[in-house]
Amino acid sequence: DQYAGQTGPCSGCGRTVTVPGPSGATAFAGPAQPAKRSATPIVVIVLVVLLALAVPCSGILIALLLPAVQAAREAARRAQCTNNLKQIAVAMHNYHDTYKCFPPASITDETGTPRYSWRVAILPFVEQAPLFDRWNHNEPWDSPNNMRIGQTAIPTYRCPSDGAAESLEPNYVMITGQEAVGLLPNEVTRFRDITDGTSNTIMIVEVVDSGIQWSEPRDLSLDQLLPQIGAPGGISSRHPGGVNAAFCDGSVMFLSEDMDPETLRALLTRAGGERAGF
């Protein structure tokens, strides 16, 4: 009985045999195997812990990355604004090559009725020749026919940092007045008239909330644009820290909002004899 249920070699033939147990007893099956535990609860617990850690961490990561993403987007918009001004400056130069002068800031008829703006005049040079061909130069800018044309948005005239490109309000204006490049209605400026130097004279500046329509022959006078960058109704933009400006030599520069007012005035005049020093 003490060997009942055990397995071992037969002493006679060497074969493996199992000693029968007592009557009614079952054979010895060896030590009981522990029951296997399911891994599912452990996996669920691990996932819950990871999610609990990931949710606040993702919020922190978003908070850290968001300023960088916004800065990158603004840098792209500012670059596009610079490109717009560069296209306009090149268009002004091409206009000068064709007509031997820059376009007047505004064109009127013999009675002084405004007909169209410099932005209309350079349409053929900013890949908008079909619009220019449809413009009726013998009618006021706000005649029914010309107003229909003026309802077409020109993305080149809009800074992407100032909202939708479909807006009819331009962000780029010419400086007008006897001391500026824009002069008075129907008066033109030539390269030889810019005695301060083309690289020291601003031709086009950024402005937000001007209330001007792109086809409207209206800009801002030298006095309206002073005394400093960022002043309401004057030179301003949605870019942090300053504005873009196109110079008469075709270059585009970013002007800091901390620029000295006297330096700014020197850059806005074409023949003042000042030293820009910026």
Side-chain angles (χ1 to χ4, degrees):
D1 288 344
Q2 72 182 84
Y3 298 108
Q6 295 187 24
T7 300
C10 173
S11 59
C13 65
R15 295 175 62 186
T16 300
V17 296
T18 299
V19 179
S23 178
T26 57
F28 179 73
Q33 297 295 323
K36 293 183 178 179
R37 294 184 178 179
S38 173
T40 303
I42 298 175
V43 172
V44 171
I45 292 172
V46 171
L47 288 175
V48 170
V49 172
L50 289 176
L51 286 173
L53 293 174
V55 170
C57 288
S58 63
I60 295 172
L61 287 174
I62 291 173
L64 292 174
L65 292 174
L66 189 57
V69 172
Q70 291 175 335
R73 289 176 176 173
E74 169 53 29
R77 290 191 292 264
R78 179 173 148 183
Q80 182 58 51
C81 176
T82 299
N83 185 59
N84 288 346
L85 276 168
K86 185 67 177 179
Q87 288 186 60
I88 292 172
V90 170
M92 297 288 275
H93 275 233
N94 289 336
Y95 184 100
H96 193 290
D97 290 344
T98 303
Y99 300 104
K100 310 308 177 186
C101 64
F102 290 119
S106 62
I107 293 89
T108 67
D109 62 16
E110 59 278 0
T111 65
T113 302
R115 291 297 177 89
Y116 56 98
S117 71
W118 64 272
R119 286 175 290 269
V120 173
I122 67 169
L123 284 176
F125 303 101
V126 291
E127 300 180 355
Q128 296 293 338
L131 282 183
F132 183 80
D133 293 338
R134 288 165 50 198
W135 189 272
N136 192 328
H137 294 77
N138 297 318
E139 295 179 357
W141 75 275
D142 54 357
S143 68
N145 174 74
N146 290 339
M147 282 295 287
R148 281 194 297 271
I149 299 171
Q151 294 302 306
T152 302
I154 309 294
T156 306
Y157 294 160
R158 288 283 299 171
C159 172
S161 293
D162 196 26
E166 293 78 19
S167 174
L168 303 178
E169 184 177 293
N171 289 111
Y172 312 119
V173 302
M174 186 184 286
I175 307 99
T176 61
Q178 288 287 8
E179 299 179 86
V181 174
L183 296 175
L184 300 177
N186 302 325
E187 295 183 353
V188 298
T189 297
R190 300 172 176 83
F191 278 125
R192 65 171 179 265
D193 301 321
I194 308 172
T195 58
D196 284 349
T198 56
S199 61
N200 295 320
T201 305
I202 294 174
M203 177 167 49
I204 309 293
V205 293
E206 272 195 274
V207 173
V208 295
D209 300 328
S210 64
I212 301 171
Q213 186 172 322
W214 71 263
S215 60
E216 182 180 359
R218 180 163 66 95
D219 287 270
L220 296 179
S221 68
L222 182 61
D223 294 334
Q224 288 176 293
L225 295 174
L226 294 172
Q228 65 186 33
I229 295 173
I235 300 176
S236 53
S237 77
R238 305 294 185 198
H239 308 304
V243 301
N244 283 319
F247 285 69
C248 291
D249 64 349
S251 64
V252 177
M253 296 187 62
F254 189 76
L255 307 180
S256 171
E257 60 186 12
D258 299 323
M259 176 177 285
D260 177 69
E262 290 303 316
T263 300
L264 177 60
R265 182 178 182 85
L267 294 173
L268 293 174
T269 57
R270 57 182 172 78
E274 312 98 335
R275 287 186 172 271
F278 72 103

